[in-house]
Amino acid sequence: MSLDPRALLRQLYDVAVARALPGRVLAAHLPPPPKGRTLVLGAGKAGGSMAQALEAAWPADAKLSGLVITRYGHVPPNYKPRRLQVVEAAHPVPDAAGLAASEKLLALTLGLTADDLVICLISGGGSALMSLPAPGLTLADKQAINRALLNSGAAIDEMNCVRKHLSAVKGGRLAAACAPARVLTLAISDVPGDDPAVIASGPTVADPTTCADALAICRRYKIELPAAARAGLESGTFETPKPGDFAQAGHELVMLSTPQMSLEAAAAFAREQGIAAHILSDEIEGESRVVGGMHAALARAVARRGEPFARPCVILSGGETTVTVDPSRPAAAIGKGGRATEFLLGCALALQCEPGVYALAADTDGIDGVGPHAGALLTPSSLGRARALGLNPQALLDAHDSASFFAPLGDLLVPGPSFTNVNDFRALLIV
């Protein structure tokens, strides 16, 4: 083939990310200014770029104010907020900056009228960034529970069910606080199935889950709860607004970008280059290393037998895999990595240097886990090069230290924050 496999995979990732950028899609969905004032509230990894796109598109002579919370380092460098306040806070574990910003954000809803419009900018990561504990809970409580959930292997909808019920703003509570104003939610999905009640724990969406559901999830994953949290869940005091609990007339939600939209953009680009493209699913979940092995089995079948797809081709998938950390393992024994690099290392061990198979896995927000990398590239020579350097791939996988496999090879993908987030992007190229 004429294209370099590594270059093509990187181009596919860039195309997928570009499709999800707010500057390309947000303006078309803005309504005309209301009779009253327009208040902008939001949270998420794409919060800074969503606020930038809205400010640029909103009429200069129309009233506009509000507050948006985003992750540290996720405000576009060319954006200087004029009418909106953009606050940076910690993700994935909330911090004091996020708590203070959330308190201020909720206070801004006081005094709204039926003539006012609230535009809520919601994207992945908003659950940790918009952190306002339920009555009786502290920030330290929320931090400990969040860390335990992140290490538990729980799916994103399960984690957000717990987060909603331990929050003063999520699970529809923000929309309820905005009454009687009209609410327009502009969302960028980072969750399998694009359920708006799950994205950032659905601050403007009525919650169908219950306190009993949250308790069951904590029991299933052995999440220790402080006494106040357990009491609030067991008594039902922490129950979230349910469909019909608050006036939703005039409320509207628009999905600006989704994982499927980005996968389709990448597939279209591959076909333009003369490479057949197949989208497995935008909803793939499961343990990262296991999902990596399954993708490897499919790629190997294509490479060896031309089934179920003919080569050359690219296989695309999205969703949100998980990395389950053994709670008995000392923190010092847990390495650096993330869902994407652990997926790729599992894939590498299953492929065993299969000729003609290349792969890229990366988070579309530009950060995989807690490191500076978004993901990595895998080539047929990766395992051999790693072993020549004295690395033990299986030991690194067992220690959840997948980044330490790819870093010495020069194969980590470090694009920096993308200012959007439609979750995992995976591409396997078979030539």
Side-chain angles (χ1 to χ4, degrees):
M1 59 183 294
S2 59
L3 281 174
D4 172 44
R6 295 169 62 97
L8 176 59
L9 288 170
R10 177 57 193 268
Q11 287 174 312
L12 293 174
Y13 171 76
D14 291 341
V15 167
V17 170
R19 170 57 186 83
L21 292 175
R24 295 191 174 198
V25 296
L26 186 144
H29 299 283
L30 292 176
K35 180 180 177 180
R37 63 191 179 101
T38 301
L39 177 66
V40 178
L41 305 174
K45 296 176 188 175
S49 56
M50 294 177 85
Q52 180 183 34
L54 194 156
E55 270 210 80
W58 200 251
D61 59 349
K63 296 178 182 178
L64 187 71
S65 63
L67 187 153
V68 177
I69 311 168
T70 194
R71 183 175 180 168
Y72 290 119
H74 281 244
V75 178
N78 62 342
Y79 175 39
K80 305 301 178 187
R82 294 175 291 109
R83 296 183 280 178
L84 302 178
Q85 183 181 3
V86 179
V87 176
E88 295 177 288
H91 179 279
V93 177
D95 68 355
L99 173 61
S102 300
E103 290 174 335
K104 183 174 181 180
L105 183 148
L106 190 60
L108 290 175
T109 65
L110 297 175
L112 288 168
T113 73
D115 291 332
D116 299 328
L117 169 67
V118 180
I119 301 178
C120 292
L121 307 177
I122 303 300
S123 60
S127 192
L129 294 164
M130 192 188 294
S131 184
L132 190 58
L137 299 183
T138 67
L139 175 61
D141 291 334
K142 291 293 293 287
Q143 289 172 328
I145 294 167
N146 219 42
R147 288 192 187 96
L149 285 168
L150 289 167
N151 289 335
S152 71
I156 185 64
D157 58 332
E158 294 175 313
M159 287 194 282
N160 283 358
C161 173
V162 176
R163 289 164 171 166
K164 288 179 191 181
H165 288 90
L166 301 181
S167 170
V169 70
K170 304 183 185 79
R173 290 186 174 95
L174 179 59
C178 291
R182 174 190 169 199
V183 176
L184 168 64
T185 300
L186 301 178
I188 294 178
S189 173
D190 72 325
V191 301
D194 306 324
D195 183 352
V198 178
I199 302 167
S201 296
T204 63
V205 182
D207 178 30
T209 69
T210 66
C211 284
D213 295 329
L215 271 173
I217 291 165
C218 291
R219 293 191 187 103
R220 185 179 310 135
Y221 294 101
K222 298 180 174 58
I223 306 297
E224 293 187 13
L225 294 173
R230 182 169 296 281
L233 292 176
E234 289 178 344
S235 67
T237 304
F238 289 170
E239 197 54 86
T240 48
K242 298 293 176 275
D245 283 359
F246 58 86
Q248 292 183 290
H251 284 212
E252 183 183 358
L253 185 142
V254 176
M255 205 68 71
L256 298 177
S257 300
T258 67
Q260 182 67 19
M261 293 174 186
S262 285
L263 291 174
E264 289 173 356
F269 179 83
R271 291 165 189 147
E272 290 170 2
Q273 313 311 309
I275 304 295
H278 309 281
I279 299 175
L280 293 184
S281 172
D282 66 332
E283 300 184 39
I284 293 178
E285 300 178 85
E287 197 66 26
S288 292
R289 66 182 69 192
V290 176
V291 175
M294 293 171 63
H295 280 64
L298 179 58
R300 194 164 50 244
V302 173
R304 295 180 180 180
R305 300 190 298 275
E307 295 177 348
F309 310 124
R311 57 194 292 189
C313 71
V314 63
I315 299 170
L316 303 168
S317 74
E320 182 164 5
T321 58
T322 52
V323 174
T324 303
V325 178
D326 183 349
S328 67
R329 180 183 288 269
I334 301 173
K336 296 179 180 179
R339 299 192 307 262
T341 51
E342 184 144 326
F343 164 90
L344 284 173
L345 187 48
C347 192
L349 287 166
L351 283 170
Q352 286 296 312
C353 306
E354 182 70 33
V357 179
Y358 300 78
L360 178 149
D363 198 316
T364 52
D365 70 356
I367 304 293
D368 182 32
V370 296
H373 57 281
L377 282 155
L378 175 68
T379 74
S381 67
S382 295
L383 270 184
R385 287 185 288 135
R387 286 168 175 153
L389 293 173
L391 299 177
N392 184 329
Q394 186 62 57
L396 291 172
L397 183 62
D398 292 341
H400 304 292
D401 199 12
S402 50
S404 295
F405 175 87
F406 291 99
L409 306 180
D411 286 340
L412 283 178
L413 184 65
V414 190
S418 68
F419 311 112
T420 191
N421 181 25
V422 287
N423 231 318
D424 299 344
F425 174 84
R426 297 177 286 268
L428 280 77
L429 176 64
I430 304 96
V431 298

